[in-house]
Amino acid sequence: MASRARVRAPELVGAGGWLNTGGKDLTLADLRGKCVVLDFWTFCCINCLHVLDELRELEEKHRDTVVIVGVHSPKFVHEADHQAVVDAVARYEVEHPVLDDPQLATWKQYAVRAWPTLVVIDPEGYVVAQHAGEGHAHAIERLVEELEAEHAAKGTLRRGDGPYVAPEPVAGALKFPGKAVRLPGGGFLVADSGHHSLVELAEDGESVVRRIGDGERGFLDSADGTAPRFSEPQGLALVPEGLDLGYDVVVADTVNHALRGVRLADGTVTTLAGTGRQWWQGSPTEGPAHEVDLSSPWDVAFFDGRVWIAMAGVHQLWAYDPATGTVAVAAGTTNEGLVDGPVTEAWFAQPSGLAVSADGERLWVADSETSALRWVSRETQSVHSAIGTGLFDFGHRDGTAEQALLQHPLGVTVLPDGSVAVADTYNHALRRFDPATNEVSTLATDLREPSGAVLAGEDIVVVESARHRLTRLRLPEEAVRVESVAHRTQRAATEVAPGTLRLDVVFTAPSGQKLDERYGPSTRLLVSATPPELLVSGAGADSALSRELVLSAELTEGVLHVSAMAASCDDDPAIEYPACHVHQQDWGVPVKLVAGGASRLPLVLAGME
C-alpha cells in the first residue's frame, strides 16, 4: 500500500449540536474504525446539493465501513438558525449524521475555504485527503476501497452499522413545496418537491384533487400501468393560451436535470429536455434537447418565444425551443457573481425564480446567491440589476433599490400594477419592487421560507415551503414597516499582501488515474476579481493550475473569483477507452490587503496541501 500524507483530524465541534443521531453527540472517538467523510456544506449552495446526490451511492454501497458526516457551515444568517438546518436535512433527504456548526468552528479547524469541501478521515483518525467542489465521488470511493483493505489487514477497520438514526417522518399533503401556478379552470398546481410529485389543489389551496407522480424519487415518463416519477421538481410554467404543444405545463425537474411536460387532461408526463445527467464543463451547450445535459433547472417561464430556464447549477439562463426541440445557453458565462451587460457576458449566481412582465419585454430573475433581483431585456438582449450588489452582502432593508437588501430570494411574481413581488426566502418575507419609483418595500413578514407566489384574483398565494402549505394573502395597500438589517457573510477574509500573490490550485489525480493530455490540456484555471481593479494582472483563463497574480495597492479588500477544472483518466495502457472524470470548483475568496499578509494562496481542489 502506497504511503500517503496523514494529519491528525481535529475534533468535530458545533454549537448547534447533532442531527440524525437520535440525540447523541458524536466525537471522532465514536467514529474510530470507520472511514469518515466530512461534507462541509450549506443548504443555499447548489453545488453542495449536487454533492449530496453524488454521495448517495457511496453511502449505500459502503454503509458498513463508511460514515458520512455533514458539517453544516452557514453562509447566510438564516442558515445559522438551527430549525432551518433541521428543515434542510429533511428537505434534501440527508441520511447521515449532521453537525450544525453555526459559528464555523469546525470549518476553521479544518481550514476549509469553499462550499462544498469533502475531507476523508481514515479509521485511525487521520485526515488523508481533501476535495473541494463537485465530481469527486469516484475518487473518494477508490480511496475508501484502499482504506478498507489497508485497515482490514491492520485490524483497525470496524464493520457494522453507523451512528445514523432516521428522524420521525412528518405527514401532510405537501412536503417542502417549491412553486405553484394558477390553473385556467381554478385551483393550483404545486411542485411538491419533498414528495417528488405534482399536486393539484382545489380553490381553497388545501384540498387535494389529484397527485401526478407516485411520490417516489425517480425519472420515469408516463407509460401503460406505470406512474411517472420526478426528483425534487421546482418550477412550473403554463403553456400560453392558443399554443398547442401536446402538453399544458412545463416542469423544472431539478434533481433529474430535466424539463418535463404535463398534459392536464390525463396527467401524462413526457420528457422535453435533458438526459438525466448533470452538465459539466466541456459538455455541449446547445443541440437537440434530449441529447444535451442540463444542471439543476430551478424555474421556467415562456419568454420571447421560448421556455427560459433558470439553470441554477451552472449560474446561467438557458432556453428550450418547443418548435425545434432544441436547447441552448441564453445568458450567463457559468462564472458565479453579479455582472451586468450583454447576455453573453453577464454573470449570475444560482438564478432560481423567473417571471415575465405583462408587456413581454422583461424577464425578471431572482438571483439567489447574490441576493439580487435582475432582469433581461428582450429588445437589447442585456442583463440589468434592480436590487443587489454581490455574493457577500445581504439583509432586510427597504427604500431605494440602490441600497435595498434581500436575503437569498427564490421567487418572483409580476403584480397587476407592473411592480414585482419577490419571495425573499431567507428573510421569511414577501417584498415588492416598483420599477416606476425604484422603491423597495415589504408586503408581508412571518412567512417561512417562501419560495414562490401566484396571483389569484385580488389575492396573492404564497408557497410557504418550510411550512408545507400555500398561504393566501390580500395584496396590501400599505407596506409593512420592518427594522432594517444588513449583513455580510461571517466567513473570515484571507489577509494577503498587496503586490505579487502566488495562486496555487492543488490537484492530485486519484489513485490509478492521471492527467491525460493526449488531446490537449486537461486542466483549466479562470481568475477574476470584484472589483475588477483588485487585479492589476493575472486575470483570465489558462491551463496551468498555478499563476502569479498582482494585487492593487490602492484597495483594502475585495473578492478573488477562482474557477478550476481538472480531468483525470484511468492510468492503465491496457485500457483502450479509459474512464475519465471531471473535478471542478469555484471559489469566491474574500481577501483583505494588509502589509505583511500572505504572498501565497493555496486552494485544494483534490489532495493534501
Side-chain angles (χ1 to χ4, degrees), residues 400-411:
T400 61
E402 289 81 7
Q403 53 89 53
L405 293 172
L406 308 171
Q407 187 179 179
H408 198 80
L410 290 179

Side-chain angles (χ1 to χ4, degrees), residues 50 53 191-193 195-198 212 216-221 228-237 249-262 269-277 294-300 309-311:
H50 290 166
D53 290 318
D192 191 10
S193 307
H195 286 139
H196 311 295
S197 59
L198 309 180
I212 301 173
E216 295 292 324
R217 184 192 295 271
F219 190 13
L220 291 174
D221 285 344
R229 287 184 172 177
F230 301 87
S231 188
E232 298 180 32
Q234 289 286 341
L236 306 170
V249 180
V250 178
V251 183
D253 194 6
T254 303
V255 178
N256 279 329
H257 310 294
L259 297 190
R260 317 289 291 279
V262 178
V269 176
T270 56
T271 297
L272 306 178
T275 63
R277 298 183 301 270
L294 309 182
S295 183
S296 296
W298 211 274
D299 202 6
V300 281
I309 310 164
M311 202 73 79

Side-chain angles (χ1 to χ4, degrees), residues 4 72 122 129 181 219 228 245 273 288 367 432 452 507 539 546 583 590:
R4 60 173 65 87
H72 189 268
D122 73 12
V181 291
F219 190 13
L245 298 176
D367 202 27
R432 176 178 179 265
F507 178 78
S546 294
H583 317 255

Side-chain angles (χ1 to χ4, degrees), residues 116-401:
T117 291
L118 299 169
V119 175
V120 181
I121 301 172
D122 73 12
E124 294 180 290
Y126 289 89
V127 174
V128 294
Q130 181 172 325
H131 303 266
E134 304 178 50
H136 301 292
H138 73 285
I140 291 175
E141 180 167 17
R142 182 165 295 190
L143 175 57
V144 162
E145 290 170 349
E146 292 181 1
L147 292 173
E148 287 173 341
E150 176 184 342
H151 288 274
K154 291 173 64 176
T156 50
L157 183 69
R158 177 167 55 88
R159 295 184 179 273
D161 292 338
Y164 170 68
V165 177
E168 290 294 323
V170 178
L174 299 177
K175 181 182 179 183
F176 299 108
K179 300 185 189 296
V181 291
R182 178 81 164 158
L183 294 175
F188 306 89
L189 187 67
V190 183
D192 191 10
S193 307
H195 286 139
H196 311 295
S197 59
L198 309 180
V199 175
E200 182 179 344
L201 299 180
E203 187 65 22
D204 62 7
E206 297 179 5
S207 304
V208 175
V209 176
R210 62 171 167 168
R211 186 175 293 274
I212 301 173
D214 66 3
E216 295 292 324
R217 184 192 295 271
F219 190 13
L220 291 174
D221 285 344
S222 299
D224 292 340
T226 302
R229 287 184 172 177
F230 301 87
S231 188
E232 298 180 32
Q234 289 286 341
L236 306 170
L238 287 175
V239 174
E241 188 175 348
L243 189 60
D244 184 9
L245 298 176
Y247 50 88
D248 307 292
V249 180
V250 178
V251 183
D253 194 6
T254 303
V255 178
N256 279 329
H257 310 294
L259 297 190
R260 317 289 291 279
V262 178
R263 190 166 62 210
L264 291 174
D266 57 7
T268 297
V269 176
T270 56
T271 297
L272 306 178
T275 63
R277 298 183 301 270
Q278 182 186 337
W279 186 93
W280 290 96
Q281 288 285 353
S283 299
T285 55
E286 61 181 340
H290 290 109
E291 299 175 14
V292 177
D293 300 337
L294 309 182
S295 183
S296 296
W298 211 274
D299 202 6
V300 281
F302 280 84
F303 175 63
D304 196 22
R306 296 177 293 170
V307 179
W308 282 56
I309 310 164
M311 202 73 79
V314 287
H315 316 300
Q316 290 179 307
L317 305 180
W318 287 40
Y320 165 67
D321 189 338
T324 61
T326 57
V327 291
V329 173
T333 65
T334 76
N335 293 329
E336 183 180 14
L338 192 152
V339 176
D340 291 338
V343 292
T344 56
E345 301 174 9
W347 292 19
F348 295 91
Q350 275 180 232
S352 301
L354 302 175
V356 181
S357 62
D359 61 6
E361 289 298 315
R362 287 188 181 188
L363 177 69
W364 293 99
V365 182
D367 202 27
S368 63
E369 278 294 286
T370 53
S371 298
L373 176 65
R374 320 276 298 278
W375 54 278
V376 179
S377 166
R378 187 193 67 81
E379 180 181 5
T380 64
Q381 290 294 293
S382 56
V383 178
H384 309 262
S385 294
I387 309 168
T389 58
L391 285 165
F392 300 108
D393 295 294
F394 52 91
H396 191 148
R397 181 193 289 154
D398 290 331
T400 61

Side-chain angles (χ1 to χ4, degrees), residues 32 44 114 121 142 168 214 239 241 296 359 372 376 417 428 436 448 475 480 485 491-492 520 577 603:
R32 196 64 50 83
C44 73
I121 301 172
R142 182 165 295 190
E168 290 294 323
D214 66 3
V239 174
E241 188 175 348
S296 296
D359 61 6
V376 179
D417 63 359
H428 308 301
R448 187 70 184 174
L475 279 171
V480 177
V485 290
R491 179 180 167 194
Y577 300 105
L603 300 174

Side-chain angles (χ1 to χ4, degrees), residues 47 55 233 461 495 529:
N47 311 90
L55 293 176
V461 177
E495 293 190 349

Side-chain angles (χ1 to χ4, degrees), residues 390-517:
L391 285 165
F392 300 108
D393 295 294
F394 52 91
H396 191 148
R397 181 193 289 154
D398 290 331
T400 61
E402 289 81 7
Q403 53 89 53
L405 293 172
L406 308 171
Q407 187 179 179
H408 198 80
L410 290 179
V412 60
T413 306
V414 174
L415 300 178
D417 63 359
S419 64
V420 180
V422 180
D424 193 5
T425 309
Y426 287 2
N427 280 327
H428 308 301
L430 191 67
R431 311 287 294 284
R432 176 178 179 265
F433 168 66
D434 186 349
T437 63
N438 204 40
E439 290 287 319
V440 177
S441 57
T442 298
L443 296 177
T445 57
D446 299 322
L447 302 167
R448 187 70 184 174
E449 292 191 15
S451 54
V454 59
L455 293 173
E458 295 183 356
D459 297 339
I460 187 165
V461 177
V462 180
V463 181
E464 275 198 273
S465 189
R467 283 200 177 111
H468 318 292
R469 71 186 189 190
L470 302 188
T471 298
R472 185 184 292 263
L473 305 172
R474 179 57 53 95
L475 279 171
E477 296 181 3
E478 295 184 2
V480 177
R481 294 187 63 85
V482 178
E483 183 178 351
S484 295
V485 290
H487 302 289
R488 296 210 81 196
T489 179
Q490 59 178 313
R491 179 180 167 194
T494 300
E495 293 190 349
V496 297
T500 301
L501 177 69
R502 179 72 180 181
L503 172 64
D504 290 320
V505 173
V506 179
F507 178 78
T508 303
S511 176
Q513 296 200 329
K514 67 176 181 179
L515 292 174
D516 188 349
E517 301 191 345

